Amino acid sequence: MKRTRQAIVALLLTAQIGCNSNENDPNDASDSSSIETNTPVEQAPLVLLITVDTLTSNFLGTAHPEWDTSPNLDALFAESTVLPRVIAPRGHTLVSMVTMLTGQQPRSHGIRKNADGWDGSTSSVLTLLQAEGWNTYGYSTNMCKAIDFGVNHRMCVHPAEMEVEDQPSGDSLLTNALLEQLLARDTSIPTFAWLHLMDPHDPYDAIEPYYSTFHPEEYLGSLPPANLSTSPALSRKILDDRMTEPDQNHLHAIYASQVRDTDARIGAFLDALKQAGMLETATVVFGSDHGDELGLTTSYPYHGCSVRKSVLSVTWSFSGKNIRKGVRLAGWANMADMGPTLMELAGSKMPEGRDGRSLVPHLQTGDPITTPAFFERTTETAGVFLGNHKYLLNPPGDFNRCLPYQNSEKSYPTDTVEFFNLADDPNEKNNLAEEESTTKDTLHTALCEYVTQSTWTTEEEDATLELISICTGDSP
């Protein structure tokens, strides 16, 4: 019976994709406004959060218009306030998820890598809203530890819990299942639904017809079109730092094809909800946990080791009542701000003392965000974004605790101190740390205030951390 219901919803989504065949035509006569619904006049609040794993902002249509990677998300952004520079605390999914849910930075909630156990001891958006009587849904294809607490309805499509053919199949199964649940929900009960999709995460599989559209010329290099991340050829290119331009174009087209496929899936999901009359008064939030480096700075394509902007800076959007449309907020936001923002949009609030703050006032006015945004990589690295600049302290130097560096004598290259002008150098090729700069000094002060404002681990262990010693002693 379960499989039958999923098949029915899959057919509905297929029909929605068919309706999207003219999605770029503003005069399309199949506009859903012509469809009659029996939507009740009064519905309890619906907050819908959609997040996509490892979605690099550089590959959204607004940043990559020649490839048209995200027409459905672009349409959503046009009806939203967009935050194009939300800083993830690290390129690890669980770290970002817990930071978002709790409004706390890693050194406050204690999760610093995906392998860490999350016990739900810090109250989160899910647990708080559930306690207030909300019907909560957590549907995820990755790091399902994040949905172990505070959800009334849980589904995990991950090899640890459910075998699926591939990532797109898992994302489709999950999306169809949540759609079925939402269409049948009791609209008199407030609902918070979180959908987390896996693609375009590695292993990087080309999806047609999108790959051929983005890369019409034949690729003659050594990197395969499927399961790219398992290729020994890719590992060699990373370790030898010799990713060629044709290699990079091939990788980017594969990644873009996955983005475009996920965009179509999200578009069909939202269209189905719209035609059911469920989005008229809903708050729809879209975001990502982190991005991928994709060889933009070094030959490293992944995210776990990276502290580059392409990994840490992700796009979020908010649409709903009293939220401005078609606005792109200037400034940097912290991932920890997303939890308090979600709580205020739900008519509630986070407990006092959290690291993050609600950005709802900015969503309502369009005023820029002028405060710094911070990130951490384990207990050894911390950095800050503000204005057009990024500053980083990394006392141990190069970092090797992720693949493929773990099995070699090489490491991901990170200088002890890094300072970049992102306006002139968006891919962080030219480290300006040796230059005299009042901006660098200002960012150093701001970062050290962040580093020293509370305990990172224990007082005894903190006394051994070089990162803290730099900030409590002489400036680098």
Side-chain angles (χ1 to χ4, degrees), residues 384-461:
V384 57
F385 289 85
L386 183 65
N388 290 324
H389 294 86
K390 172 191 169 188
Y391 181 79
L392 175 150
L393 291 175
N394 178 60
D398 293 345
F399 190 84
N400 65 0
R401 290 193 296 282
C402 54
L403 293 174
Y405 303 109
Q406 286 175 326
N407 302 322
S408 78
E409 297 179 354
K410 299 186 177 182
S411 300
Y412 179 86
T414 313
D415 291 332
T416 301
V417 182
E418 295 185 353
F419 176 58
F420 296 101
N421 183 334
L422 299 173
D424 298 334
D425 181 24
N427 291 326
E428 301 170 52
K429 301 281 191 177
N430 183 25
N431 185 5
L432 304 175
E434 297 299 320
E435 297 185 7
E436 294 295 326
S437 168
T438 56
T439 300
K440 183 185 71 173
D441 295 341
T442 298
L443 292 182
H444 176 82
T445 299
L447 180 59
C448 283
E449 287 178 355
Y450 172 81
V451 166
T452 59
Q453 70 185 12
S454 64
T455 303
W456 278 63
T457 51
T458 64
E459 291 186 4
E460 293 78 11
E461 187 173 345

Side-chain angles (χ1 to χ4, degrees), residues 198-217:
M198 185 73 162
D199 238 13
H201 196 285
D202 64 81
Y204 306 131
D205 293 326
I207 297 178
E208 296 292 359
Y210 306 123
Y211 174 80
S212 295
T213 300
F214 301 147
H215 198 287
E217 64 276 13

Side-chain angles (χ1 to χ4, degrees), residues 85-100:
R85 300 196 292 184
V86 176
I87 296 303
R90 187 187 177 185
H92 275 212
T93 295
L94 185 64
V95 181
S96 272
M97 283 180 166
V98 175
T99 298
M100 177 268 292

